[in-house]
Every structure is written in C-alpha cells, then in structure tokens.
Amino acid sequence: MMSKNALAREPVLRWWVWGPAWAHMAAIFVSSSLPVSAIPSIAFVVPDKLVHGAVYGLLGGLVLRAFAGAQWTGVKPRTALGAVALTIAYGVSDEWHQSFVPGRTPEIMDLVVDGIAAAVVVGAAWAWSIIGLSRVHAARRAGHAAPTFTERLP
C-alpha cells in the first residue's frame, strides 16, 4: 500500500510526467482547428511534411517520457511501442478532426510522416537509454558512479 505522503504527491507526479504530452496534444488540436486562411503566410515557407515530422516526433518523445515515468530506466520495448502507437492514434484522430475544418483536408501522407517521425524519435530515445544505462551500470560495477540527475527525480 502507498504511504500517505506518496498518495498526496501522486497527482503532482502525474502532471509532471504527462503534462508536457497533454499540453503538446492540446497545441496540436488548437493549431489544426485553424482554417487555412488563418495560418500566417510565413507557415507556407516551411514544408508541411517537415512541420508534421517535427511536431509528431516531439509528441512521440513526450509520450515515451510519460510511459517511462520520466526515467530512463522506464524506457523499454513495450513503452517505446506504446508511445509510437499512441502517437499514431493521435495522428489519426487529428487527420479526422481536420476533415471538419474549413479549407483543411486529411492526408494519408501526413499520417505516414507522423508515424515515421514518432518511430525515429522514440527509437533514438530508446537506443540512447540503452547506451546511457549500460554506461551507468559499467561505472557502478567499477565503483565510480554516483546516481545521475534523472535517477534522483521522484
């Protein structure tokens, strides 16, 4: 059973872990709610697919962070796969949402780019977690390492 102190901190920890992903999802929803006529002209300089890749790559990374409990030790194949799946599912819902916005149309290529970007970022983060954790374990076996900053987070 959880201690009283742990129960009191649970909502704060949930916001710490999931808040960035939720905020990013909200920003995506708001920006995809804008009709094409409301988008600033500077946005037409940057290719649409590049924007999709950056936005959904970041979302994939934030969802992975949340699934992993904001700790590198939580990054496992299952959390990585879940992060990519949830990011793609959100991309599907966003493309469907855009079908109701004047001047916007859902595109399958946007969804493909979303999925690829999420998979690349999540895969890179997973690989980085493996490399980082193997270094920490090697240093601890040699008796040289103190806990890292992320290992000290609640």
Side-chain angles (χ1 to χ4, degrees):
M1 182 165 184
M2 294 178 104
S3 70
K4 187 175 183 179
N5 191 23
L7 285 173
R9 290 184 351 174
E10 187 177 326
V12 173
L13 291 175
R14 188 175 300 126
W15 277 106
W16 164 254
V17 170
W18 279 98
W22 290 335
H24 194 63
M25 287 178 183
I28 291 170
F29 182 84
V30 168
S31 65
S32 67
S33 297
L34 298 173
V36 172
S37 61
I39 298 172
S41 60
I42 190 76
F44 294 109
V45 175
V46 180
D48 176 50
K49 304 305 181 239
L50 183 63
V51 173
H52 269 269
V55 168
Y56 279 88
L58 177 59
L59 180 60
L62 292 173
V63 171
L64 176 65
R65 176 188 178 274
F67 278 158
Q71 296 185 358
W72 283 113
T73 56
V75 179
K76 308 275 190 241
R78 185 176 179 172
T79 56
L81 188 60
V84 172
L86 182 61
T87 302
I88 291 171
Y90 191 79
V92 168
S93 72
D94 182 52
E95 291 300 319
W96 179 71
H97 167 245
Q98 286 184 22
S99 70
F100 299 104
V101 178
R104 294 217 181 210
T105 56
E107 293 183 32
I108 193 71
M109 281 309 296
D110 286 348
L111 186 58
V112 169
V113 170
D114 298 346
I116 291 171
V120 167
V121 169
V122 168
W126 180 30
W128 183 255
S129 76
I130 292 169
I131 293 166
L133 288 176
S134 67
R135 287 182 180 173
V136 168
H137 291 302
R140 284 197 180 149
R141 281 192 300 272
H144 300 294
T148 63
F149 173 75
T150 56
E151 291 173 327
R152 286 182 259 151
L153 291 176

